[in-house]
Structures are given as C-alpha cells and as structure tokens.
Amino acid sequence: MNKVLSKVWLAPTVAKIEIEAPLTARKRLAGQFVILRVTETGERIPITIAGSDPERGSITLVVQQVGATTRDLCALEPGDFVRDLAGPLGKPTHIDKWGRVVCVAGGVGAAVVLPIAEAIHKAGNDLDVILGARSEDLIVLEDELRAVCSRFWLTTDDGSRGEHGLVTLPL
C-alpha cells in the first residue's frame, strides 16, 4: 500500500496528489505511468506520472474526476493509502537535443506534457509551451510549465484568460 502524502485541488474536478512510492520515484522517466487500484475491490486504472521527488520517495499524479475510481482517488486525504500501485510502466518518451521544441497541452493533458517539457528543457532545448483550457477555472500546472520554457502562450476557449480560442491559434 502507498501512502498519500499531500493533495491540492488545481481545479474544481482536478487534484494533484503526491503518493509515497520510492522505487517508482527513482526509476520513472518522462512519459511513463502507473497502474493503481484505490480499494481492494476497485478497478485498476492507468495514470501518468506528472512528477517525482526521488529524495522524498514520492510521485505526483494529476487526476481529473470522471468516474467512480477517479472520484475515489480524489477523495483520499493525506495519511490515507492507495491499495495497489505498479510502475513505472510504458515506454519513456524519447528526449534529445533537437533545438527548438513546442509542447502543446489542453486541460488535464498538461499533466502528461509537464514531465516531457521538463525533460526537453533539461536536455538543453529551446522550449515553447502552449497551454489551453475551456475556461480560466480549468487551467492547471501553468506555473510549472512556465518555469521550464522560453516562451509561453495561454488560451481559453471562452476567452476568460489568455488568448480567446484554441491552442491551435498560437501554434
């Protein structure tokens, strides 16, 4: 069982959850995921590893409530436990020194893009990030993505923040 260390709500239905998982934290690479089960009788679901802290022995997951299992996961509080967690799984994203790179993320997809953007930045690339959401209250991981890029654009479908339109507009 893996202990929940912290939980922060990023949007009305999106939580950032830090979970104790020392081996996963040390081994994970950008683009990998875990499969977890919240309760003994619950379903197994894949979730992208949005970040890790090898020294603390933790991984960070960004979870949007869309069904019973993600609601159960988001209902956990620090000190609670995830029943089963397997990972890191999946083929890591190939990262190289390419020069100029653009990463585009929409909504909770920012959780998938963040570790890849961090690795692209760390490899010495000139990184542009375009982040979009349906509305201002659904923007997640903006500060984290801004921290790893040279140029940043924000769009909202309804124009409540950033440029009015889809992420394809600045692209």
Side-chain angles (χ1 to χ4, degrees):
M1 295 191 10
N2 299 81
K3 187 176 187 178
V4 174
L5 301 175
S6 68
K7 178 176 80 173
V8 176
W9 287 99
L10 302 178
T13 61
V14 180
K16 181 166 81 169
I17 304 169
E18 185 182 14
I19 298 175
E20 188 175 62
L23 294 174
T24 304
R26 284 196 303 269
K27 293 180 181 254
R28 78 96 186 174
L29 295 171
Q32 291 187 300
F33 64 96
V34 294
I35 291 185
L36 58 81
R37 194 167 57 144
V38 180
T39 64
E40 187 172 348
T41 59
E43 69 178 332
R44 297 170 66 229
I45 61 168
I47 305 271
T48 297
I49 303 168
S52 68
D53 183 339
E55 289 78 37
R56 185 168 179 184
S58 66
I59 60 170
T60 301
L61 309 177
V62 175
V63 181
Q64 182 173 24
Q65 295 179 5
V66 292
T69 302
T70 52
R71 272 194 308 275
D72 290 346
L73 182 56
C74 289
L76 296 176
E77 295 295 336
D80 291 340
F81 290 87
V82 171
R83 173 75 178 153
D84 300 309
L85 187 140
L89 302 169
K91 184 176 180 182
T93 302
H94 173 74
I95 304 294
D96 208 336
K97 172 107 187 206
W98 295 298
R100 187 171 184 193
V101 178
V102 178
C103 288
V104 181
V108 77
V112 176
V113 170
L114 178 60
I116 295 168
E118 290 171 337
I120 288 169
H121 172 75
K122 186 176 179 181
N125 291 288
D126 182 26
L127 178 61
D128 294 355
V129 171
I130 304 168
L131 176 62
R134 283 192 313 260
S135 60
E136 180 176 19
D137 63 326
L138 297 174
I139 297 167
V140 298
L141 303 174
E142 177 184 356
D143 293 339
E144 294 86 341
L145 286 166
R146 279 184 186 272
V148 296
C149 68
S150 302
R151 287 164 296 282
F152 181 86
W153 290 269
L154 179 64
T155 68
T156 51
D157 297 359
D158 66 0
S160 56
R161 183 128 175 267
E163 292 187 55
H164 183 196
L166 304 175
V167 293
T168 53
L169 181 66
L171 184 62

